[in-house]
Amino acid sequence: MMLQIKGEGDQQQQMVLQRKGQGDQQQQMVLQMKGQGDQQQQMLLEMKTQAEVQLQQMKQDAMEKRKEKKANVDKKLQDNSESVQLLDEEIKQEIRRLDEGIWHVDNRLEDQLKNPFRHLELGFPVNNITTAKPKLATPRFDGTPTFGVFTPQFETSASIPDANNLSYEAVKRALERGIN
């Protein structure tokens, strides 16, 4: 029996040793898993660092592109404002030129209106210069035309006393003379 107990005790010791060996194996597995976890954490940390570096680089690139575009827009605005200023100056010069031309024409017209005989003095041809109102001669009734033809002619000339520079008394005398 002792042997039996001793055999059982050995078996138990072997089982304890086996269990102890299994515990050691489990500890090694835990340590391996912990090491793998540490490696994974380190890899995650490296990936996070790389992502932050890439993000920083992307931010810098975006800022540089933004600065370049802003510089291009500023340059275009400057060019446009310069061209607008040039056009504005050209328009002002054209307005000045037209104003001077108008001034010269106004002066010439004013001179012509002041002295309509100036052209005659200088020997230039006279175009459409009238010095007096047109005159209509009062027709005389001498008996050759019929009285029906004479009457409208006489009435036309007599009805425009201002055109003939006649007063009403002169028209009255002309009427009396025309009938006699």
Side-chain angles (χ1 to χ4, degrees):
M1 217 201 198
M2 260 247 287
L3 269 175
Q4 215 181 10
I5 295 179
K6 194 177 180 188
E8 281 179 18
D10 284 338
Q11 279 180 350
Q12 285 179 354
Q13 269 185 349
Q14 278 181 352
M15 281 177 60
V16 168
L17 284 175
Q18 279 180 353
R19 284 187 186 167
K20 191 176 178 186
Q22 285 177 354
D24 287 342
Q25 284 178 351
Q26 285 177 350
Q27 274 184 344
Q28 283 180 350
M29 285 176 61
V30 167
L31 287 174
Q32 283 178 351
M33 288 172 65
K34 187 177 177 186
Q36 288 176 353
D38 289 342
Q39 285 178 350
Q40 286 178 351
Q41 279 183 342
Q42 190 172 357
M43 285 176 57
L44 285 174
L45 185 61
E46 287 176 9
M47 289 173 60
K48 182 180 174 185
T49 306
Q50 287 177 354
E52 287 175 353
V53 167
Q54 287 177 348
L55 181 64
Q56 216 39 28
Q57 184 64 36
M58 289 171 67
K59 283 182 181 178
Q60 285 179 343
D61 290 345
M63 290 297 286
E64 287 175 10
K65 286 181 182 177
R66 183 176 175 260
K67 285 179 183 177
E68 287 175 10
K69 285 185 179 181
K70 185 180 183 298
N72 286 341
V73 167
D74 288 344
K75 186 178 184 304
K76 286 180 182 177
L77 283 174
Q78 180 69 23
D79 292 345
N80 285 343
S81 68
E82 288 174 0
S83 64
V84 166
Q85 287 174 349
L86 289 174
L87 286 173
D88 187 43
E89 187 61 34
E90 288 177 15
I91 289 171
K92 286 179 182 177
Q93 288 176 354
E94 186 67 19
I95 289 172
R96 276 188 231 118
R97 189 183 67 77
L98 290 173
D99 284 345
E100 287 175 7
I102 290 170
W103 183 79
H104 288 297
V105 168
D106 283 347
N107 283 342
R108 280 191 287 166
L109 287 175
E110 188 175 310
D111 288 344
Q112 287 177 358
L113 291 175
K114 283 181 184 176
N115 189 359
F117 300 108
R118 178 86 174 136
H119 291 293
L120 294 174
E121 292 171 5
L122 297 175
F124 294 124
V126 178
N127 295 331
N128 297 330
I129 295 179
T130 58
T131 58
K133 295 178 184 176
K135 294 185 179 183
L136 295 174
T138 309
R140 296 194 132 254
F141 185 71
D142 58 2
T144 23
T146 63
F147 194 72
V149 172
F150 170 75
T151 305
Q153 292 175 357
F154 188 80
E155 286 174 353
T156 303
S157 64
S159 66
I160 312 174
D162 289 336
N164 289 324
N165 292 327
L166 299 174
S167 66
Y168 286 103
E169 291 83 27
V171 171
K172 183 178 173 185
R173 278 194 307 260
L175 284 173
E176 289 172 354
R177 233 182 319 139
I179 296 176
N180 292 329

